[in-house]
Amino acid sequence: AQSVTQLGSHVSVSEGALVLLRCNYSSSVPPYLFWYVQYPNQGLQLLLKYTSAATLVKGINGFEAEFKKSETSFHLTKPSAHMSDAAEYFCAVKEGGYQKVTFGTGTKLQVIP
Amino acid sequence: DTAVSQTPKYLVTQMGNDKSIKCEQNLGHDTMYWYKQDSKKFLKIMFSYNNKELIINETVPNRFSPKSPDKAHLNLHINSLELGDSAVYFCASSQNSPMDEQYFGPGTRLTVT
């Protein structure tokens, strides 16, 4: 069975500092992994996804994530936080051949000016 | 030109009432979903339809009944509303491939008083 663990329900960073949001997954087969962002009072939108083509995945707004099979991790990073990055971030996993997506519990990113 | 739309955006109603939420997608996707997001931002999948056929039916009270008249529409009807049903309900759609991401609607905030 697939599952996702996001460490840290709240993360605070200063503007211009590195953003690191952690995600670990559990899957019985090679997974497909996603990061979504949710701005206040909006639906989720895709930041980036891992589909086995490359382990380092670049997404929108300067975010990237690295798939590490040995660590079962897919952490999200951004070199320099911007005020507009303040939002809720969700990691998600989907097993191949199966339409069910399992979401993590979310991490709220606060950016301090 | 909204990809996934939901109506209404806000719904305030009393316990015991019956209400419906409508969802439409113009992306040509075959799969549609309903999610419930609680006050702690936890996302729980409720149902999924693939080309009008129910493929995911999580542990959801029988008071919730989805209906897909065609593959572009997925509605959610809720009978005998309870206080615990208060949440934000998101509709989403995706292609059939497991590597494809989901596209979310803006959400419907349901408040049961």
Side-chain angles (χ1 to χ4, degrees), chain B residues 63-105:
Chain B
R63 299 181 295 102
F64 290 79
S65 53
K67 199 162 284 188
S68 181
D70 55 62
K71 74 174 194 176
H73 296 84
L74 179 61
N75 304 323
L76 183 66
H77 188 75
I78 315 170
N79 289 325
S80 304
L81 278 155
E82 301 178 357
L83 292 176
D85 298 332
S86 295
V88 181
Y89 292 84
F90 286 101
C91 177
S93 72
S94 71
Q95 294 282 31
N96 274 345
S97 169
M99 69 177 67
D100 286 315
E101 66 272 23
Q102 295 178 315
Y103 292 75
F104 283 79

Side-chain angles (χ1 to χ4, degrees), chain A residues 2-108:
Chain A
Q2 59 191 27
S3 67
V4 169
T5 301
Q6 289 185 243
L7 292 174
S9 58
H10 286 81
V11 170
S12 291
V13 299
S14 298
E15 192 175 16
L18 171 74
V19 176
L20 170 61
L21 304 183
R22 299 178 187 273
C23 173
N24 287 87
Y25 70 90
S26 171
S27 174
S28 56
V29 297
Y32 297 99
L33 295 160
F34 306 81
W35 275 101
Y36 288 86
V37 61
Q38 184 180 26
Y39 298 105
N41 299 314
Q42 294 186 26
L44 282 71
Q45 55 183 278
L46 182 73
L47 269 180
L48 49 80
K49 63 182 179 182
Y50 167 73
T51 60
S52 77
T55 56
L56 183 62
V57 181
K58 294 188 184 299
I60 62 171
N61 301 338
F63 284 93
E64 61 182 38
E66 186 171 8
F67 173 71
K68 292 187 177 179
K69 185 178 177 181
S70 60
E71 298 176 9
T72 61
S73 68
F74 190 55
H75 301 330
L76 182 71
T77 60
K78 181 174 180 177
S80 176
H82 193 271
M83 295 299 294
S84 61
D85 295 326
E88 191 88 24
Y89 291 80
F90 293 91
C91 183
V93 62
K94 191 196 291 190
E95 292 183 346
Y98 190 44
Q99 288 299 328
K100 181 178 175 181
V101 178
T102 300
F103 283 85
T105 49
T107 298
K108 184 170 184 174

